[in-house]
Amino acid sequence: MPVDLTNERPLAWDSAALDADTKAMLDDLQPNILRAHVREHLSVLFVRFNDVAEGRAFLRRLATTKMKSARQHLQEIRDFGAGRRPGTPYVGVGISKAGYRDLGHSVEDVRKFDDPVFRDGMKRRTGEVNDPPVEEWERTYQREIHAVILIGDAERGPVDRLREEILGDLPESARLLGEERGQGMRNPAGDGIEHFGYVDGRSQPLFVKDEVDKEQKKHWDPAFPLSNVLVPDPFAPNPERHHGSYLVFRKLEQNVRAFKEIERDLADSLGLKGADRERAGAMLVGRFKDGTPLTLRARPAGGPVVNDFTFDGDDGSKCPFSGHVRKTNPRAFGREVVMARRGQTYGERADDPWDDSPPERRPSGEVGLLFMAFNASLLGQFEFMQQTWANNPDFELPATGHDPVIGQGDRDIKVRFPKVWGKPEMSVPQPQVPQTVTMKGGEYFFAPSLAYLRNL
């Protein structure tokens, strides 16, 4: 019997009533898809195979000896929470369209993937999402990537050891095209942040009951059906029981200095004073630095950062319609578009991202985000979000502007910002803020089932 991916109830993975097909799915599903795996330290390896038999044998060994299942991952989290034992490192695999061809699958075979975006590959989709031309991408991403291998853990040592073992097993016919290293950043409160200094990783779609039960759900329900992230693996022994997910990888460089100059100049132009100057950056991101949504203006005294909110009733006088978190998750509609984001920051910097240092002390490049997200549909999720929401200057209402963080394309219309939080008084029309995030390259992959990999 096929696994019911449309069930709206969060997955109770350890329930005695769990059916055999769902159990089998979890035993053959890669970790980090349904629930994020710890990856404070991350190595991302981009590989090209040049021999069918050797490429298949390498992936089979990798899946058999180095990769754990989603069920094992969930059990490790349970054991760690109970103080029994720490978890093990994460190894994940994604295969591109070209990679499947190089592993011996025919053109007709690859058409079994029903996502046209995956069948095209990222290089052929630059026009749809306003990406830079491929010749401007970093060299690694200009080349034909067949597979991505993700290695993550809370500590660097296990990542480095696994990396050496995996590279040592790579056949001579294969090539390591490039590598990215990610490392998590945290503010003094211990929250994960990105390079602009804002808490990141909130408002994820949650699929597992353990996580959903911890969230407040009065206004916003974070529980999503498995159909939001999983699809049958067309090449697995039993696609009705073996599933995978489409993985988008994008290297996004952040010009922190320019962003901080924009925050300062916007606060000046709106006449914001004192603590209210923080609202300038919050209007671009949609949250204050500590993660408090702009719709609430401030964190409740003594309480945790609130994530149970919607934009209902906000006409843009609290959070502009162009605010990054509003653009990428409007909450009132488009739930099926929300992706399971699993990215990590990259790059070294000498300053503290969360402090009040002047823009001149901030990096202007070489730092950013290794954006990764799992999708049930690249066309209906990632590309829809980027094209129809982030890049759309008429999102929800005319002339609301591009997403100030990840929006791409000509910013030729003028926009307004609220001068006072929650009040109808708006600024005079002004140019949109310049783009400070640059896409440096990437690729679309499919994260296949362990059943597929172990049967190569």
Side-chain angles (χ1 to χ4, degrees), residues 194 196 253-255 258-260 262-263 266 280-286 319-328 386 389-393 395 400-409 411 415-417 431-438:
E194 48 73 53
F196 292 150
E253 184 180 59
Q254 294 175 253
N255 187 336
F259 188 84
K260 292 302 175 182
I262 290 167
E263 287 182 329
L266 180 58
M283 285 191 289
L284 305 179
V285 177
C319 178
F321 287 98
S322 61
H324 172 62
V325 302
R326 189 167 191 169
K327 277 266 198 178
T328 55
Q386 187 70 50
W389 289 353
N391 296 350
N392 181 7
F395 172 75
T400 54
H402 288 67
D403 182 325
V405 179
I406 64 167
Q408 300 184 138
R411 305 187 181 200
V415 297
R416 298 172 180 264
F417 291 96
Q432 296 184 63
V433 301
Q435 186 173 325
T436 57
V437 175
T438 303

Side-chain angles (χ1 to χ4, degrees), residues 39-42 156 181-185 344-348:
R39 57 201 183 285
E40 288 291 292
H41 295 270
L42 180 71
R156 181 164 186 165
R181 296 300 295 251
Q183 183 170 330
M185 300 191 305
Q344 185 56 283
T345 50
Y346 75 88
E348 301 289 337

Side-chain angles (χ1 to χ4, degrees), residues 4 30 45 58 90 94 108 151 159 210 235 251 391 405 442:
D4 182 10
Q30 292 192 45
L45 307 176
F58 168 77
Y90 155 64
E108 282 300 315
I151 311 168
V159 173
D210 305 53
F235 299 145
K251 183 176 183 179
N391 296 350
V405 179

Side-chain angles (χ1 to χ4, degrees), residues 4-12 33-34 202-209 211-212 215 217 220-230 307 328-342 374 376 381 389:
D4 182 10
L5 302 180
T6 62
N7 193 329
E8 293 289 338
R9 293 191 301 275
L11 178 65
I33 299 175
L34 295 185
R202 299 292 284 152
S203 298
Q204 294 277 25
L206 303 181
F207 308 101
V208 181
K209 187 175 185 297
E211 288 191 291
V212 173
E215 295 284 329
K217 299 179 283 293
W220 163 251
D221 187 356
F224 282 68
L226 300 181
S227 58
N228 190 257
V229 72
L230 296 183
N307 198 49
T328 55
N329 186 357
R331 292 180 178 239
F333 61 90
R335 283 176 59 87
E336 69 281 357
V337 180
V338 180
M339 297 169 286
R341 292 172 287 119
R342 303 290 186 256
F374 289 105
Q381 289 175 280
W389 289 353

Side-chain angles (χ1 to χ4, degrees), residues 21-50:
D21 291 297
T22 304
K23 290 179 181 178
M25 181 269 289
L26 289 171
D27 285 334
D28 284 298
L29 183 69
Q30 292 192 45
N32 199 39
I33 299 175
L34 295 185
R35 183 165 183 171
H37 194 286
V38 173
R39 57 201 183 285
E40 288 291 292
H41 295 270
L42 180 71
S43 172
V44 185
L45 307 176
F46 298 101
V47 174
R48 178 187 175 102
F49 300 117
N50 297 299

Side-chain angles (χ1 to χ4, degrees), residues 22-194:
T22 304
K23 290 179 181 178
M25 181 269 289
L26 289 171
D27 285 334
D28 284 298
L29 183 69
Q30 292 192 45
N32 199 39
I33 299 175
L34 295 185
R35 183 165 183 171
H37 194 286
V38 173
R39 57 201 183 285
E40 288 291 292
H41 295 270
L42 180 71
S43 172
V44 185
L45 307 176
F46 298 101
V47 174
R48 178 187 175 102
F49 300 117
N50 297 299
D51 182 277
V52 173
E54 291 186 345
R56 283 176 166 253
F58 168 77
L59 289 176
R60 184 172 63 250
R61 289 192 302 271
L62 184 65
T64 303
T65 64
K66 300 290 193 294
M67 298 177 69
K68 60 187 170 187
S69 70
R71 181 198 285 274
Q72 290 172 299
H73 174 218
L74 294 170
Q75 187 61 56
E76 285 184 355
I77 295 173
R78 176 71 56 81
D79 291 343
F80 180 75
R84 288 193 282 269
R85 55 180 176 269
T88 58
Y90 155 64
V91 176
V93 169
I95 304 173
S96 70
K97 172 201 68 175
Y100 276 106
R101 291 292 311 280
D102 199 70
L103 290 171
H105 294 281
S106 68
V107 173
E108 282 300 315
D109 281 344
V110 175
R111 290 197 182 115
K112 292 179 181 178
F113 290 103
D114 60 3
D115 195 314
V117 172
F118 176 75
R119 297 197 304 267
D120 281 347
M122 191 173 288
K123 294 181 181 67
R124 296 180 61 186
R125 306 291 298 184
T126 56
E128 280 72 15
V129 293
N130 284 334
D131 278 340
V134 175
E135 56 267 25
E136 296 180 9
W137 295 8
E138 292 183 354
R139 175 59 179 162
T140 293
Y141 306 106
Q142 292 185 31
R143 304 172 75 179
E144 185 180 84
I145 299 170
H146 290 163
V148 60
I149 301 171
L150 309 173
I151 311 168
D153 193 62
E155 304 294 335
R156 181 164 186 165
V159 173
D160 288 345
R161 287 191 292 272
L162 261 175
R163 174 188 179 276
E164 291 305 310
E165 291 175 13
I166 291 171
L167 290 179
D169 191 44
L170 198 66
E172 290 188 6
S173 59
R175 293 289 179 270
L176 177 65
L177 302 180
E179 177 182 11
E180 301 288 357
R181 296 300 295 251
Q183 183 170 330
M185 300 191 305
R186 295 188 178 273
N187 62 19
D191 300 313
I193 60 174
E194 48 73 53

